[in-house]
Amino acid sequence: MQAEAGPEADSWPGERLSRRTFRDETLLVLALSLGASGVSALISFLGSVTKPGGLKDQAATLNASAAPGRPWLDLAWQLFGIATALVPVALVAHLLLREGQSLRTLGFDRSRPWPDLGRGAAVAAVIGSTGIAFYLAARGLGFNLTVVPEALPGVWWKYPVLVLSAVQNAVLEEVIVVGYLLRRLRQLGWAPGTALAASSVLRGSYHLYQGIGGFLGNMVMGVVFVWLYRRWGRVGPLVVAHSLLDIGAFVGYALLAGKVGWLPTA
């Protein structure tokens, strides 16, 4: 059967895999990765809203020390966490190989490095500025916790680990929540609008630990990213954009926290 064009097109190497197989594997991939993160974030959010005091008086800390006072052990835990978080991406690559495809099918390869970098940087510049403004407004209105992007010790590996963490987040989220999920939902017969909504709500769900602002802001970002993916046919620019956004948040906070008045700290 001739494959359809487009980033989410079906392609079959031989025997057609059943919809049930695709449904089950998609649920398993999400249960091992960002679907589970969404449930965890919901539980965390419920704990925050039922805790005395406002949301902005509580903190959501990312990239915290795993072994305070023991920098080498801490580094080992940080690298272990980054590596294991990417296992679901390896699983997705394996499942695509079963179809006779690869991550290149999703546009995650090195075939177009400069267009991917240029587009990603442009997207990051636009979303980054509006994202900061939205976060500050949501926190000021009491809809968001105070987000602490990093709380690592001041050791030599701090900034490399923050960069690696940012790239890991970007690869995991864009490959699974955009490229892989949209492909599978299309193969399951979902309408494009419904698939867009599912991807965007999923992205918002695992940011719910930050508060309502984190949920809504990331859901809107999800809509934009799905639209761009369908336009470009590649997750590469989205990985670049997401990496730059998180690097800016993690490293920027490490450099500016306590030194500028507009940046909230815990």
Side-chain angles (χ1 to χ4, degrees):
M1 181 176 72
Q2 184 177 1
E4 299 178 25
E8 304 158 35
D10 298 332
S11 180
W12 313 101
E15 180 181 357
R16 179 187 291 270
L17 297 170
S18 69
R19 285 191 175 187
R20 180 175 180 178
T21 298
F22 282 142
R23 182 200 65 193
D24 291 349
E25 75 165 36
T26 302
L27 291 174
L28 287 170
V29 168
L30 294 178
L32 291 170
S33 58
L34 296 166
S37 297
V39 176
S40 174
L42 174 60
I43 296 171
S44 177
F45 174 71
L46 292 175
S48 296
V49 296
T50 55
K51 184 177 180 179
L55 288 180
K56 69 178 182 180
D57 297 323
Q58 303 176 50
T61 303
L62 292 64
N63 300 300
S65 175
R70 306 183 67 183
W72 286 105
L73 181 62
D74 200 347
L75 175 60
W77 278 119
Q78 299 294 336
L79 296 178
F80 173 78
I82 291 169
T84 54
L86 290 173
V87 171
V89 177
L91 176 59
V92 164
H94 170 76
L95 295 172
L96 289 172
L97 285 174
R98 183 189 56 182
E99 296 179 59
Q101 303 298 316
S102 68
L103 291 176
R104 172 172 286 195
T105 307
L106 309 181
F108 186 58
D109 56 29
R110 295 179 293 176
S111 63
R112 303 185 63 189
W114 296 116
D116 286 353
L117 287 170
R119 287 171 170 174
V123 172
V126 174
I127 291 182
S129 57
T130 56
I132 292 174
F134 182 80
Y135 160 68
L136 294 175
R139 181 184 177 275
L141 293 171
F143 296 148
N144 226 71
L145 284 75
T146 298
V147 178
V148 180
E150 72 85 23
L152 295 177
V155 292
W156 65 269
W157 49 259
K158 174 176 182 172
Y159 293 105
V161 162
L162 290 176
V163 171
L164 288 175
S165 178
V167 174
Q168 171 255 298
N169 288 342
V171 172
L172 177 67
E173 295 186 35
E174 305 317 325
V175 168
I176 291 181
V177 177
V178 179
Y180 174 74
L181 183 60
L182 290 179
R183 178 179 176 82
R184 285 293 181 258
L185 293 182
R186 184 180 189 277
Q187 290 168 323
L188 288 170
W190 287 43
T194 307
L196 180 149
S199 174
S200 303
V201 170
L202 175 59
R203 186 188 295 268
S205 72
Y206 56 79
H207 289 92
L208 190 56
Y209 68 91
Q210 299 176 8
I212 297 297
F215 172 77
L216 293 177
N218 280 279
M219 190 169 64
V220 172
M221 176 177 162
V223 172
V224 173
F225 273 28
V226 169
W227 182 81
L228 292 175
Y229 174 67
R230 287 174 169 165
R231 180 178 178 86
W232 294 333
R234 296 182 58 78
V235 297
L238 308 182
V239 171
V240 171
H242 195 149
S243 296
L244 292 175
L245 288 169
D246 279 8
I247 289 172
F250 298 167
V251 175
Y253 185 89
L255 294 173
L256 297 177
K259 299 177 182 178
V260 294
W262 56 266
L263 182 61
T265 56

